[in-house]
PDB file of all heavy atoms in Angstrom:
ATOM      1  N   GLY A  26      -8.216 -24.901  -4.655  1.00  0.00           N
ATOM      2  CA  GLY A  26      -8.440 -26.274  -4.793  1.00  0.00           C
ATOM      3  C   GLY A  26      -9.644 -26.851  -4.028  1.00  0.00           C
ATOM      4  O   GLY A  26      -9.903 -28.121  -3.980  1.00  0.00           O
ATOM      5  N   LEU A  27     -10.520 -26.153  -3.440  1.00  0.00           N
ATOM      6  CA  LEU A  27     -11.677 -26.476  -2.803  1.00  0.00           C
ATOM      7  C   LEU A  27     -12.681 -26.981  -3.796  1.00  0.00           C
ATOM      8  O   LEU A  27     -12.792 -26.445  -4.928  1.00  0.00           O
ATOM      9  CB  LEU A  27     -12.396 -25.348  -1.971  1.00  0.00           C
ATOM     10  CG  LEU A  27     -11.719 -24.798  -0.759  1.00  0.00           C
ATOM     11  CD1 LEU A  27     -12.487 -23.639  -0.103  1.00  0.00           C
ATOM     12  CD2 LEU A  27     -11.639 -25.937   0.355  1.00  0.00           C
ATOM     13  N   SER A  28     -13.547 -27.924  -3.346  1.00  0.00           N
ATOM     14  CA  SER A  28     -14.595 -28.319  -4.243  1.00  0.00           C
ATOM     15  C   SER A  28     -15.826 -27.451  -4.027  1.00  0.00           C
ATOM     16  O   SER A  28     -15.865 -26.731  -3.065  1.00  0.00           O
ATOM     17  CB  SER A  28     -14.987 -29.817  -4.052  1.00  0.00           C
ATOM     18  OG  SER A  28     -15.599 -29.947  -2.718  1.00  0.00           O
ATOM     19  N   ARG A  29     -16.840 -27.706  -4.917  1.00  0.00           N
ATOM     20  CA  ARG A  29     -18.093 -26.967  -4.644  1.00  0.00           C
ATOM     21  C   ARG A  29     -18.715 -27.292  -3.332  1.00  0.00           C
ATOM     22  O   ARG A  29     -19.272 -26.488  -2.553  1.00  0.00           O
ATOM     23  CB  ARG A  29     -19.119 -27.231  -5.772  1.00  0.00           C
ATOM     24  CG  ARG A  29     -18.595 -26.804  -7.183  1.00  0.00           C
ATOM     25  CD  ARG A  29     -19.640 -26.873  -8.169  1.00  0.00           C
ATOM     26  NE  ARG A  29     -19.056 -26.743  -9.519  1.00  0.00           N
ATOM     27  CZ  ARG A  29     -19.833 -26.246 -10.556  1.00  0.00           C
ATOM     28  NH1 ARG A  29     -21.030 -26.185 -10.494  1.00  0.00           N
ATOM     29  NH2 ARG A  29     -19.195 -26.238 -11.717  1.00  0.00           N
ATOM     30  N   ALA A  30     -18.765 -28.583  -2.937  1.00  0.00           N
ATOM     31  CA  ALA A  30     -19.249 -29.097  -1.884  1.00  0.00           C
ATOM     32  C   ALA A  30     -18.669 -28.490  -0.503  1.00  0.00           C
ATOM     33  O   ALA A  30     -19.221 -28.047   0.502  1.00  0.00           O
ATOM     34  CB  ALA A  30     -19.246 -30.597  -1.657  1.00  0.00           C
ATOM     35  N   GLU A  31     -17.326 -28.517  -0.584  1.00  0.00           N
ATOM     36  CA  GLU A  31     -16.474 -27.839   0.518  1.00  0.00           C
ATOM     37  C   GLU A  31     -16.809 -26.380   0.664  1.00  0.00           C
ATOM     38  O   GLU A  31     -16.959 -25.780   1.693  1.00  0.00           O
ATOM     39  CB  GLU A  31     -15.051 -28.008   0.190  1.00  0.00           C
ATOM     40  CG  GLU A  31     -14.587 -29.472   0.445  1.00  0.00           C
ATOM     41  CD  GLU A  31     -13.190 -29.799   0.012  1.00  0.00           C
ATOM     42  OE1 GLU A  31     -12.762 -29.184  -1.064  1.00  0.00           O
ATOM     43  OE2 GLU A  31     -12.527 -30.601   0.493  1.00  0.00           O
ATOM     44  N   LEU A  32     -16.988 -25.659  -0.470  1.00  0.00           N
ATOM     45  CA  LEU A  32     -17.264 -24.323  -0.455  1.00  0.00           C
ATOM     46  C   LEU A  32     -18.566 -23.997   0.189  1.00  0.00           C
ATOM     47  O   LEU A  32     -18.641 -23.083   1.024  1.00  0.00           O
ATOM     48  CB  LEU A  32     -17.400 -23.749  -1.833  1.00  0.00           C
ATOM     49  CG  LEU A  32     -16.174 -23.048  -2.531  1.00  0.00           C
ATOM     50  CD1 LEU A  32     -16.412 -22.744  -4.006  1.00  0.00           C
ATOM     51  CD2 LEU A  32     -15.632 -21.862  -1.728  1.00  0.00           C
ATOM     52  N   GLY A  33     -19.585 -24.854  -0.116  1.00  0.00           N
ATOM     53  CA  GLY A  33     -20.899 -24.766   0.475  1.00  0.00           C
ATOM     54  C   GLY A  33     -20.868 -24.938   2.090  1.00  0.00           C
ATOM     55  O   GLY A  33     -21.503 -24.194   2.733  1.00  0.00           O
ATOM     56  N   ARG A  34     -20.041 -25.885   2.543  1.00  0.00           N
ATOM     57  CA  ARG A  34     -20.024 -26.274   3.966  1.00  0.00           C
ATOM     58  C   ARG A  34     -19.283 -25.052   4.703  1.00  0.00           C
ATOM     59  O   ARG A  34     -19.647 -24.602   5.704  1.00  0.00           O
ATOM     60  CB  ARG A  34     -19.151 -27.494   4.080  1.00  0.00           C
ATOM     61  CG  ARG A  34     -20.075 -28.868   3.835  1.00  0.00           C
ATOM     62  CD  ARG A  34     -19.454 -30.043   4.423  1.00  0.00           C
ATOM     63  NE  ARG A  34     -18.092 -30.391   3.840  1.00  0.00           N
ATOM     64  CZ  ARG A  34     -17.893 -31.021   2.796  1.00  0.00           C
ATOM     65  NH1 ARG A  34     -18.832 -31.604   2.129  1.00  0.00           N
ATOM     66  NH2 ARG A  34     -16.589 -31.232   2.283  1.00  0.00           N
ATOM     67  N   VAL A  35     -18.192 -24.620   4.107  1.00  0.00           N
ATOM     68  CA  VAL A  35     -17.349 -23.555   4.726  1.00  0.00           C
ATOM     69  C   VAL A  35     -18.144 -22.231   4.780  1.00  0.00           C
ATOM     70  O   VAL A  35     -18.147 -21.495   5.893  1.00  0.00           O
ATOM     71  CB  VAL A  35     -16.058 -23.281   3.888  1.00  0.00           C
ATOM     72  CG1 VAL A  35     -15.440 -21.982   4.428  1.00  0.00           C
ATOM     73  CG2 VAL A  35     -15.170 -24.480   4.039  1.00  0.00           C
ATOM     74  N   LEU A  36     -18.897 -21.899   3.762  1.00  0.00           N
ATOM     75  CA  LEU A  36     -19.647 -20.686   3.826  1.00  0.00           C
ATOM     76  C   LEU A  36     -21.118 -20.638   4.169  1.00  0.00           C
ATOM     77  O   LEU A  36     -21.786 -19.711   4.373  1.00  0.00           O
ATOM     78  CB  LEU A  36     -19.576 -20.051   2.344  1.00  0.00           C
ATOM     79  CG  LEU A  36     -18.222 -19.656   1.910  1.00  0.00           C
ATOM     80  CD1 LEU A  36     -18.246 -19.220   0.307  1.00  0.00           C
ATOM     81  CD2 LEU A  36     -17.619 -18.600   2.694  1.00  0.00           C
ATOM     82  N   GLY A  37     -21.534 -21.903   4.426  1.00  0.00           N
ATOM     83  CA  GLY A  37     -22.949 -22.119   4.766  1.00  0.00           C
ATOM     84  C   GLY A  37     -24.038 -21.821   3.687  1.00  0.00           C
ATOM     85  O   GLY A  37     -25.034 -21.327   4.028  1.00  0.00           O
ATOM     86  N   LEU A  38     -23.582 -22.116   2.460  1.00  0.00           N
ATOM     87  CA  LEU A  38     -24.512 -21.828   1.396  1.00  0.00           C
ATOM     88  C   LEU A  38     -25.029 -23.201   0.822  1.00  0.00           C
ATOM     89  O   LEU A  38     -24.333 -24.259   0.886  1.00  0.00           O
ATOM     90  CB  LEU A  38     -23.631 -21.254   0.289  1.00  0.00           C
ATOM     91  CG  LEU A  38     -23.117 -19.801   0.480  1.00  0.00           C
ATOM     92  CD1 LEU A  38     -22.294 -19.242  -0.588  1.00  0.00           C
ATOM     93  CD2 LEU A  38     -24.084 -18.869   0.918  1.00  0.00           C
ATOM     94  N   SER A  39     -26.306 -23.103   0.195  1.00  0.00           N
ATOM     95  CA  SER A  39     -26.892 -24.375  -0.371  1.00  0.00           C
ATOM     96  C   SER A  39     -26.166 -24.707  -1.690  1.00  0.00           C
ATOM     97  O   SER A  39     -25.467 -23.965  -2.212  1.00  0.00           O
ATOM     98  CB  SER A  39     -28.315 -24.106  -0.662  1.00  0.00           C
ATOM     99  OG  SER A  39     -28.413 -23.090  -1.856  1.00  0.00           O
ATOM    100  N   PRO A  40     -26.238 -26.074  -1.851  1.00  0.00           N
ATOM    101  CA  PRO A  40     -25.701 -26.659  -3.111  1.00  0.00           C
ATOM    102  C   PRO A  40     -26.108 -25.766  -4.438  1.00  0.00           C
ATOM    103  O   PRO A  40     -25.278 -25.518  -5.333  1.00  0.00           O
ATOM    104  CB  PRO A  40     -25.958 -28.070  -3.203  1.00  0.00           C
ATOM    105  CG  PRO A  40     -26.285 -28.243  -1.765  1.00  0.00           C
ATOM    106  CD  PRO A  40     -26.800 -27.212  -1.176  1.00  0.00           C
ATOM    107  N   ALA A  41     -27.411 -25.455  -4.410  1.00  0.00           N
ATOM    108  CA  ALA A  41     -27.914 -24.707  -5.611  1.00  0.00           C
ATOM    109  C   ALA A  41     -27.158 -23.398  -5.721  1.00  0.00           C
ATOM    110  O   ALA A  41     -26.887 -22.972  -6.824  1.00  0.00           O
ATOM    111  CB  ALA A  41     -29.385 -24.657  -5.499  1.00  0.00           C
ATOM    112  N   THR A  42     -27.112 -22.660  -4.674  1.00  0.00           N
ATOM    113  CA  THR A  42     -26.538 -21.368  -4.766  1.00  0.00           C
ATOM    114  C   THR A  42     -25.104 -21.435  -5.135  1.00  0.00           C
ATOM    115  O   THR A  42     -24.560 -20.580  -5.914  1.00  0.00           O
ATOM    116  CB  THR A  42     -26.575 -20.687  -3.320  1.00  0.00           C
ATOM    117  OG1 THR A  42     -27.940 -20.528  -2.943  1.00  0.00           O
ATOM    118  CG2 THR A  42     -25.935 -19.391  -3.307  1.00  0.00           C
ATOM    119  N   VAL A  43     -24.256 -22.422  -4.597  1.00  0.00           N
ATOM    120  CA  VAL A  43     -22.871 -22.502  -5.034  1.00  0.00           C
ATOM    121  C   VAL A  43     -22.717 -22.919  -6.361  1.00  0.00           C
ATOM    122  O   VAL A  43     -21.993 -22.332  -7.049  1.00  0.00           O
ATOM    123  CB  VAL A  43     -22.172 -23.636  -4.086  1.00  0.00           C
ATOM    124  CG1 VAL A  43     -20.863 -23.866  -4.630  1.00  0.00           C
ATOM    125  CG2 VAL A  43     -22.074 -23.244  -2.613  1.00  0.00           C
ATOM    126  N   THR A  44     -23.673 -23.694  -6.897  1.00  0.00           N
ATOM    127  CA  THR A  44     -23.597 -24.224  -8.346  1.00  0.00           C
ATOM    128  C   THR A  44     -23.879 -23.016  -9.180  1.00  0.00           C
ATOM    129  O   THR A  44     -23.177 -22.808 -10.172  1.00  0.00           O
ATOM    130  CB  THR A  44     -24.550 -25.405  -8.622  1.00  0.00           C
ATOM    131  OG1 THR A  44     -24.246 -26.418  -7.783  1.00  0.00           O
ATOM    132  CG2 THR A  44     -24.643 -25.711  -9.990  1.00  0.00           C
ATOM    133  N   ARG A  45     -24.855 -22.171  -8.950  1.00  0.00           N
ATOM    134  CA  ARG A  45     -25.292 -21.025  -9.669  1.00  0.00           C
ATOM    135  C   ARG A  45     -24.091 -20.048  -9.836  1.00  0.00           C
ATOM    136  O   ARG A  45     -23.759 -19.624 -10.770  1.00  0.00           O
ATOM    137  CB  ARG A  45     -26.544 -20.473  -9.165  1.00  0.00           C
ATOM    138  CG  ARG A  45     -27.063 -19.213 -10.074  1.00  0.00           C
ATOM    139  CD  ARG A  45     -28.380 -18.714  -9.630  1.00  0.00           C
ATOM    140  NE  ARG A  45     -28.211 -17.817  -8.388  1.00  0.00           N
ATOM    141  CZ  ARG A  45     -28.581 -18.332  -7.128  1.00  0.00           C
ATOM    142  NH1 ARG A  45     -29.106 -19.613  -7.019  1.00  0.00           N
ATOM    143  NH2 ARG A  45     -28.340 -17.587  -6.125  1.00  0.00           N
ATOM    144  N   LEU A  46     -23.662 -19.706  -8.578  1.00  0.00           N
ATOM    145  CA  LEU A  46     -22.625 -18.642  -8.629  1.00  0.00           C
ATOM    146  C   LEU A  46     -21.303 -19.171  -9.077  1.00  0.00           C
ATOM    147  O   LEU A  46     -20.491 -18.276  -9.745  1.00  0.00           O
ATOM    148  CB  LEU A  46     -22.511 -18.102  -7.161  1.00  0.00           C
ATOM    149  CG  LEU A  46     -23.736 -17.515  -6.515  1.00  0.00           C
ATOM    150  CD1 LEU A  46     -23.503 -17.058  -5.135  1.00  0.00           C
ATOM    151  CD2 LEU A  46     -24.065 -16.222  -7.413  1.00  0.00           C
ATOM    152  N   VAL A  47     -20.816 -20.262  -8.817  1.00  0.00           N
ATOM    153  CA  VAL A  47     -19.588 -20.896  -9.350  1.00  0.00           C
ATOM    154  C   VAL A  47     -19.806 -20.889 -10.886  1.00  0.00           C
ATOM    155  O   VAL A  47     -18.899 -20.647 -11.663  1.00  0.00           O
ATOM    156  CB  VAL A  47     -19.238 -22.299  -8.704  1.00  0.00           C
ATOM    157  CG1 VAL A  47     -18.215 -22.921  -9.647  1.00  0.00           C
ATOM    158  CG2 VAL A  47     -18.860 -22.149  -7.396  1.00  0.00           C
ATOM    159  N   GLY A  48     -20.935 -21.203 -11.318  1.00  0.00           N
ATOM    160  CA  GLY A  48     -21.153 -21.351 -12.721  1.00  0.00           C
ATOM    161  C   GLY A  48     -20.980 -19.811 -13.464  1.00  0.00           C
ATOM    162  O   GLY A  48     -20.418 -19.752 -14.474  1.00  0.00           O
ATOM    163  N   GLN A  49     -21.319 -18.766 -12.773  1.00  0.00           N
ATOM    164  CA  GLN A  49     -21.189 -17.452 -13.242  1.00  0.00           C
ATOM    165  C   GLN A  49     -19.718 -17.030 -13.365  1.00  0.00           C
ATOM    166  O   GLN A  49     -19.160 -16.625 -14.252  1.00  0.00           O
ATOM    167  CB  GLN A  49     -21.962 -16.499 -12.341  1.00  0.00           C
ATOM    168  CG  GLN A  49     -23.478 -16.517 -12.332  1.00  0.00           C
ATOM    169  CD  GLN A  49     -23.990 -15.566 -11.349  1.00  0.00           C
ATOM    170  OE1 GLN A  49     -23.261 -14.676 -10.700  1.00  0.00           O
ATOM    171  NE2 GLN A  49     -25.267 -15.586 -11.194  1.00  0.00           N
TER     172      GLN A  49
END
Side-chain angles (χ1 to χ4, degrees):
L27 289 176
S28 68
R29 299 188 190 203
E31 288 169 326
L32 272 174
R34 285 195 297 271
V35 169
L36 297 174
L38 300 175
S39 70
T42 297
V43 172
T44 296
R45 183 179 72 258
L46 296 177
V47 167
Q49 292 176 8

